[in-house]
Amino acid sequence: MNARGLPVHAALQLLATHDDVLQFGGLPLNRLAQRVGRTPFYAYDRAQITARVASLRSALPAGVHLHYAMKANPMPAVVQLLAALVDGIDVASGGELATALDTTMVPACISFAGPGKSKDELARAVAAGVLINVESRAELEKLALASDRLGLAARVAVRVNPDFALRRAGMRMGGGAQPFGVDAALVPALLARIAQLQLDFHGFHLFSGSQNLSALALAEAQAASIELALQLAHDAPSALRVLNIGGGFGVPYFPGDMPLDLAPLAENLQRQLDRLARAAPGARLNIELGRYLVAEAGIYVCTVIERKMSHGQVFLVTDGGLHHHLAASGNFGQMIRKNYPVAIGNRLHGGMREVVSVVGPLCTPLDLLAEQMEMARADEGDLVVVFQSGAYGLSASPTAFLGHPLPAEVLV
Ligand SMILES: *Cc1c(COP(=O)(O)O)cnc(C)c1O
C-alpha cells in the first residue's frame, strides 16, 4: 500500500486488482494462497521493499547511512533482501545477531543494541566484530571482560538515554527514567571508564521513540540528538566515528493516518550533516529504521471459517487472529483499539458491501482483527487480508496462545 497523499484506509480503493481480486507480489491472491498451500500466512513483497528503500534513499541526503532495525521483521529471507539494499543492520538479541551474520552484510556494519545483553551474547558479538551499543556501566564491564578473554578490542558505542523525549511518538523509548541506554548525565563518567579499558570507541547511539508520523517532531528529535552527541563527544576517548540518531519514522495504520512527509526530514538531515561535517569531521551519520522499510510491504491472510450473526451483527470467524497478529488486534502498544486496513482479498470492492467484525478462533474477546468495518460481503472460504502487516507481525505475537498452528511466511 504505497498510495501517496491519501489517508491509509482510503488508499484501499486504489489497490491493484484483477477481476476484483487483490494482486500481491505479481500474483492474484487466490493463486498466492494456493502457492503457499494453506492459510493463515504472511506474505511480503520483495519489489515493494526494494522500491521503498530506493524512494527513501532518493528523498534523503546521500550522506545519511540507512540501517535496518531487524526486530521489525526478522524473517531470514527479508533480512537477506534488505542486507543487499541498506548500509547496516541493527540487531537486538543474540538470535537476531546470528540471522544478520548469515546475510551478506559485513559484520562491521552490524550493530547490537538492547538492554540486558548476556555474557554469552556479548562474547559472540565481540568475536563477530560487530559494533556493540552499551546500555549501562555494568554491561560495559562485562563487555571489557569478554574483550580481554577473547584478546579482541570490542567495537563499542554508547547508547544514550537523552533528556528529551520524541514528541508524538507511538512508543517512547527515551527521556526520563528508561531501561534503555545510559542517562545523559552519567555518560561522561562512562566515557572516562572506556578510556581506561582496551575497547575501541566508535560513537553514540540515541533512539528516542518509534512510530511517529510527525516530520516536525522527528526533525526536532534529530537536531536535539546531534546537539547532545556533539556535547558528549567532548569527553570521548577518541574522535566520533559513528553517530546513530535512531529512526522512529512511522507508518499509517489507522483511519485518517497520513503517510510521513519526508521532505522536511530530508532538509533537516542535510542541515545536521553540514553541522556534523564542521564539528565532527569523519563521523558517519546513521539512521535505523524498522517498520518504515517493511510494514507496508506485508499482508496477513486468513480464511473465513464461518459467517455468524449475533444480535443483528455479522461476525466473520477466521482461522487467523491475535496469536499471529497481535498488533492488528490492538494489543501491541495501542492505547485505544483502532482498525488496521482490512479487506476481503478475493473480492476487494464487492458488489454487495456490509459492516462486519472479523474475529479469530481464540476464546477471548481480544481476538479481533476488525471491528465494525465496512467491506465486501464475505462467506465461508473467502480470504481476509490485513494490510500494513510487514512489521511487528508474526514475531511480535503470542503464537503459543491456545495451541493453534503457526502461520506460513513467504517473500514473493
Ligand atoms: C525497535 C527499534 C528500532 C526500530 O523501530 P521502528 O519503529 O520499527 O522503526 C530502531 N532502533 C532501536 C534501538 C529499536 O529498539
Side-chain angles (χ1 to χ4, degrees), residues 68-73 90-92 113-115 133 135 159 171 173 180 205-207 209-212 244 246-250 288-294 391-392:
Y68 175 50
M70 70 169 272
K71 85 169 185 286
N73 188 328
D90 295 327
V91 305
N133 298 330
E135 309 251 349
R159 177 163 179 188
M171 250 184 231
M173 291 178 71
F180 313 109
H205 174 215
L206 294 99
F207 182 76
S210 181
Q211 180 47 19
N212 202 309
N244 178 348
F249 292 22
E288 53 179 3
L289 301 178
R291 80 179 75 230
Y292 190 82
L293 301 184
V294 292
Y392 305 105

Side-chain angles (χ1 to χ4, degrees), residues 188 191 201 204 227-240 279:
L191 291 168
F201 175 77
F204 298 109
E227 171 73 35
L228 177 58
L230 289 175
Q231 221 174 295
L232 294 171
H234 293 304
D235 292 308
S238 56
L240 210 56

Side-chain angles (χ1 to χ4, degrees), residues 270-293:
Q270 188 55 58
R271 273 195 298 279
Q272 303 311 322
L273 282 167
D274 295 343
R275 182 160 177 219
L276 208 54
R278 287 191 302 272
R284 166 183 161 130
L285 184 66
N286 294 343
I287 59 171
E288 53 179 3
L289 301 178
R291 80 179 75 230
Y292 190 82
L293 301 184

